[in-house]
Amino acid sequence: MAPVTAAGEEMYALVERLYPLCRSITGDGVRATLDIVGEYVPLEVREVPTGTRVLDWTVPQEWNIRDAYIADSAGNRVVDFAASSLHVLGYSVPVSATMPLAELRGHLHTLPDHPSWIPYRTSYYRPEWGFCLAQETLDALPDGEYEVCVDSTLADGHLTYAEHVVPGQVADEVLVSCHVCHPSLANDNLAGIAVATFLARALAEATPYYTYRFLFAPGTIGAITWLARNEERVAHVRHGLVLACAGDPGQLNYKRSRRGDAEIDRVMRHVLDASERPHHIAEFTPYGYDERQFCSPGFDLGVGSLSRTPYAGYPEYHTSADNLDFVSPEAMADTLALCREAFAVLDRNRRYVNLSPYGEPQLGRRGLYDSLGGRSDAKQAQMAMLWVLSLSDGEHTLLDVAERSGLPFDTVAAAADALGAAGLVKA
């Protein structure tokens, strides 16, 4: 795996490639996005037909757009979809008309508090059309007639999502999910897509204990569709993480699963605390990204959510200011590094049984003390062995040992490996 700094630059380059594409919850923009991601990791692309019942929802019609604009009486495009995919209300039905500005205003969306920014707005399940533009652009429009064109189609088609699986030593799975439905928004969620992609590449270079399943799907309806189509597989999902808003300059934020004490919750807390990164850990709420689907009471999966600044927590959220200048290679590299650290703990966090539980076994006779000679952390490593022996009762995990002893998880795991090689404990 390339150094994290190089990975950061590569992730940023991926975000740059994806940024111009117009994505929505269905359509060719999603397919084009997955085609590009598929150049980095192999994907299994799924197409689910319009009208398919998925839990309490139905797969909607597919939306595609070719062009859209507002032109003044001289034919000048004053709002142009070609300049920004945010200019069109997502899922706008087609329209071709001429109307006065007074009538057109009812279909225009702006941000008066940020007059130079374009808002991101959608109308997925209600047939409407509209445009999003900067308030300063609207203010500059004179009264008069305007030509309005939205060259789009809303027709039966498919919902598209994709999966990438990194095989593990066991069939139990870790689910990593990110949403692929937003148009030109760099942090929400192109940075999440990039981090997920490079996390998959990093895991593939090892032989992980768990099987890791990466899901690239539209928000809400995509996760619901995956859950509806994978009810048997869900039983194998032991842990999970939703990645979003992974590239902004804010501190790391982790949102617990609905359970609140799932293993992923404990691992993320431990790794964030041990890393001494500035961070915040939030309790679960049933609002946000797709953790709320995976954690819904019928499934109740141990899935948390990792971001930097959380959704709606920064002014640029869902606006044109969430652009390529708002994200950085360094922030994405840091998010990726944190994920790798957390999954390294998750992958090694198992319960052990002491095979010599009556009294303390003689470590010197087995060369375990000699193996510590010259190590600067010899005392810490010795204490880790004693703690592992003490708590290897089939009930405590290595994370339990690390938390109770106050020792680094890596030191505890190394002690368990050494004791296992000496025949004193087994997982």
Side-chain angles (χ1 to χ4, degrees):
M1 181 67 186
V4 169
T5 50
E9 296 292 344
E10 291 182 76
M11 286 187 286
Y12 188 85
L14 174 56
V15 170
E16 284 185 305
R17 290 185 66 190
L18 296 175
Y19 185 75
L21 299 178
C22 182
R23 282 163 291 273
S24 190
I25 56 173
T26 62
D28 290 336
V30 174
R31 296 186 185 97
T33 298
L34 296 176
D35 284 346
I36 292 173
V37 172
E39 296 175 18
Y40 293 79
V41 293
L43 296 178
E44 289 289 335
V45 178
R46 320 290 185 185
E47 298 272 9
V48 185
T50 296
T52 302
R53 187 74 173 176
V54 287
L55 306 180
D56 195 43
W57 295 59
T58 302
V59 172
Q61 289 188 308
E62 181 176 325
W63 183 70
N64 286 293
I65 184 166
R66 288 161 291 279
D67 194 13
Y69 61 86
I70 301 172
D72 62 19
S73 57
N76 300 309
R77 293 191 177 193
V78 295
V79 177
D80 192 352
F81 169 74
S84 173
S85 61
L86 296 179
H87 271 312
V88 175
L89 179 77
Y91 254 62
S92 279
V93 298
V95 61
S96 179
T98 300
M99 63 186 67
L101 180 60
E103 181 181 347
L104 179 57
R105 283 182 181 274
H107 295 275
L108 302 182
H109 305 269
T110 65
L111 291 167
D113 291 342
H114 297 282
S116 65
W117 296 358
I118 304 167
Y120 166 54
R121 299 286 184 269
T122 63
S123 183
Y124 295 141
Y125 303 105
R126 189 174 60 254
E128 290 187 9
W129 65 268
F131 288 84
C132 301
L133 66 159
Q135 180 68 46
E136 61 188 22
T137 301
L138 176 58
D139 292 343
L141 296 181
D143 288 334
E145 296 289 309
Y146 289 85
E147 179 190 358
V148 178
C149 172
V150 177
D151 182 11
S152 65
T153 55
L154 193 58
D156 287 354
H158 296 82
L159 179 146
T160 309
Y161 69 89
E163 296 174 273
H164 171 77
V165 176
V166 179
Q169 299 171 38
V170 297
D172 289 344
E173 292 187 357
V174 179
L175 177 65
V176 182
S177 173
C178 62
H179 60 276
V180 298
C181 52
H182 286 20
S184 297
L185 300 172
N187 196 43
D188 182 24
N189 186 37
L190 297 181
I193 295 171
V195 170
T197 300
F198 278 77
L199 180 59
R201 288 179 63 176
L203 288 167
E205 294 183 357
T207 305
Y209 177 73
Y210 289 110
T211 293
Y212 286 81
R213 182 174 300 274
F214 288 79
L215 175 62
F216 300 85
T220 304
I221 186 65
I224 287 171
T225 299
W226 185 85
L227 286 165
R229 290 165 56 88
N230 290 274
E231 292 192 55
E232 291 185 5
R233 184 176 302 283
V234 163
H236 292 285
V237 176
R238 294 290 178 262
H239 322 284
L241 190 65
V242 172
L243 285 171
C245 302
D248 69 81
Q251 69 177 11
L252 286 160
N253 278 262
Y254 177 72
K255 176 181 172 184
R256 297 180 193 270
S257 70
R258 175 180 174 270
R259 298 180 195 172
D261 62 349
E263 190 170 341
I264 188 68
D265 301 326
R266 296 183 57 210
V267 167
M268 292 302 294
R269 183 193 66 200
H270 178 82
V271 171
L272 283 165
D273 287 346
S275 74
E276 298 185 350
R277 290 176 173 91
H279 67 273
H280 175 70
I281 296 178
E283 297 302 320
F284 176 82
T285 63
Y287 185 76
Y289 291 115
D290 285 329
E291 68 279 355
R292 69 189 196 273
Q293 311 306 333
F294 302 122
C295 293
S296 57
F299 295 106
D300 195 25
L301 299 177
V303 176
S305 177
L306 180 67
S307 63
R308 301 194 73 84
T309 307
Y311 58 89
Y314 50 98
E316 298 84 356
Y317 179 77
H318 280 193
T319 78
S320 57
D322 184 355
N323 56 32
L324 294 172
D325 293 332
F326 186 62
V327 298
S328 71
E330 294 78 14
M332 285 186 280
D334 186 50
T335 307
L336 174 64
L338 189 281
C339 290
R340 295 183 65 177
E341 292 163 24
F343 286 170
V345 173
L346 193 66
D347 234 36
R348 300 179 72 185
N349 187 37
R350 288 185 284 284
R351 291 174 173 82
Y352 282 76
V353 174
N354 188 334
L355 301 179
S356 182
Y358 298 100
E360 181 180 306
Q362 191 175 8
L363 302 182
R365 177 166 59 85
R366 294 172 172 86
L368 291 171
Y369 283 147
D370 293 340
S371 69
L372 303 178
R375 286 179 51 169
S376 60
D377 63 342
K379 181 64 175 178
Q380 192 177 65
Q382 178 183 337
M383 287 303 301
M385 288 184 190
L386 297 177
W387 272 108
V388 170
L389 287 168
S390 180
L391 295 180
S392 290
D393 52 9
E395 299 294 328
H396 293 85
T397 66
L398 294 185
L399 184 57
D400 292 326
V401 177
E403 290 181 340
R404 185 164 174 181
S405 67
L407 296 169
F409 181 88
D410 286 348
T411 303
V412 170
D417 289 343
L419 292 167
L424 288 174
V425 299
K426 71 173 182 178

